Amino acid sequence: MTRQEDDPGLFTAEEAPLDDLRQREALRIVEALIFASAAPVSETFLAERLPKGVEPGPILSQLQRHYAPRGVNLVRVDDHWAFRTAADLSFAIRKDDMEVKKLSRAALEVLAIIAYHQPVTRAEIEDIRGVQTSKGSIDVLLEAGWVRFRGRRRTPGRPVTFGTTRDFLDHFGLEELRDLPGLEELKGAGLLSGRIPPNFHVPMPGDGDALSADEDPITQLDLEELGLLAPRDEG
């Protein structure tokens, strides 16, 4: 009996069975590494731990299909992978007594602006919202791990730019920023009123971690200035 006949849910008919011992072991390694990790695992991390000549891509695709109808699914978060409860079963494990920290309306607005307009500065956020943004609204998003400092804009004053994180994608069940809902989806969910200006559009976010042409990377001095690192001892 072939491996494919032994577990038909793991492979499609078009694929050759994993009859090579090295590849079969690679599948078990990938499954174990992702299962044991508390955070999404990168493909680079997996590739470094697989037998020589075995690529993680096909292994991940097979595991993803295998777990698709099960209680947990293998999902991609950016270029990382994790096991997550199947979306239709979330109600079964939700604890009624669990305290959920809700974001304020201001923080939600700031998060949405950063998600769709990144990279974006605080001044640009305020310009879009039309009101001043309190430091607390951004701080709570930074503490939640959903927003990060990206870089510094190459303009006078070199303002800090903000972007979302992989934890943001993971929390909201997104594989990548392009999976953010578009105009029609937002309207269908009731998040936009029917009276939308004719020139209104939902922007397409930037390309994840890559800095734009008008951004400089954050340096250690920048981190010290932002209070994220203790100042170096010059003595």
Side-chain angles (χ1 to χ4, degrees), residues 56-96:
I59 302 293
L60 288 164
S61 295
Q62 292 170 27
L63 280 175
Q64 190 174 41
R65 287 193 298 272
H66 176 64
Y67 280 96
R70 295 175 177 254
V72 292
N73 300 152
L74 181 62
V75 300
R76 183 168 68 87
V77 183
D78 200 4
D79 61 344
H80 289 53
W81 295 79
F83 284 115
R84 293 291 181 261
T85 304
D88 61 330
L89 296 179
S90 59
F91 72 93
I93 62 171
R94 185 181 298 117
K95 294 182 180 180
D96 294 334

Side-chain angles (χ1 to χ4, degrees), residues 77-147:
V77 183
D78 200 4
D79 61 344
H80 289 53
W81 295 79
F83 284 115
R84 293 291 181 261
T85 304
D88 61 330
L89 296 179
S90 59
F91 72 93
I93 62 171
R94 185 181 298 117
K95 294 182 180 180
D96 294 334
D97 58 349
M98 183 180 296
E99 182 180 354
V100 179
K101 184 177 181 180
K102 293 185 178 180
L103 295 178
S104 67
R105 178 175 178 176
L108 283 172
E109 290 177 356
V110 171
L111 178 60
I113 290 170
I114 292 174
Y116 282 97
H117 293 266
Q118 59 187 302
V120 62
T121 67
R122 179 172 174 175
E124 291 165 344
I125 294 172
E126 293 178 345
D127 184 57
I128 294 170
R129 292 187 67 214
V131 296
Q132 187 173 1
T133 299
S134 69
K135 184 176 182 294
S137 295
I138 295 179
D139 283 347
V140 72
L141 298 175
L142 291 168
E143 291 170 4
W146 295 346
V147 164

Side-chain angles (χ1 to χ4, degrees), residues 107-208:
L108 283 172
E109 290 177 356
V110 171
L111 178 60
I113 290 170
I114 292 174
Y116 282 97
H117 293 266
Q118 59 187 302
V120 62
T121 67
R122 179 172 174 175
E124 291 165 344
I125 294 172
E126 293 178 345
D127 184 57
I128 294 170
R129 292 187 67 214
V131 296
Q132 187 173 1
T133 299
S134 69
K135 184 176 182 294
S137 295
I138 295 179
D139 283 347
V140 72
L141 298 175
L142 291 168
E143 291 170 4
W146 295 346
V147 164
R148 65 184 177 89
F149 297 112
R150 283 178 50 102
R152 304 205 81 148
R153 188 64 53 77
R154 294 176 184 172
T155 56
R158 300 186 66 244
V160 174
T161 56
F162 295 95
T164 53
T165 65
R166 188 175 297 113
D167 284 345
F168 166 81
L169 295 176
D170 193 17
H171 181 85
F172 290 97
L174 305 171
E175 288 189 2
E176 54 190 2
L177 289 174
R178 285 182 295 182
D179 292 330
L180 284 166
L183 179 60
E184 294 305 317
E185 293 172 290
L186 291 172
K187 289 169 62 177
L191 298 176
L192 292 175
S193 66
R195 301 180 63 182
I196 301 174
N199 60 344
F200 179 85
H201 71 285
V202 175
M204 175 62 70
D207 296 328

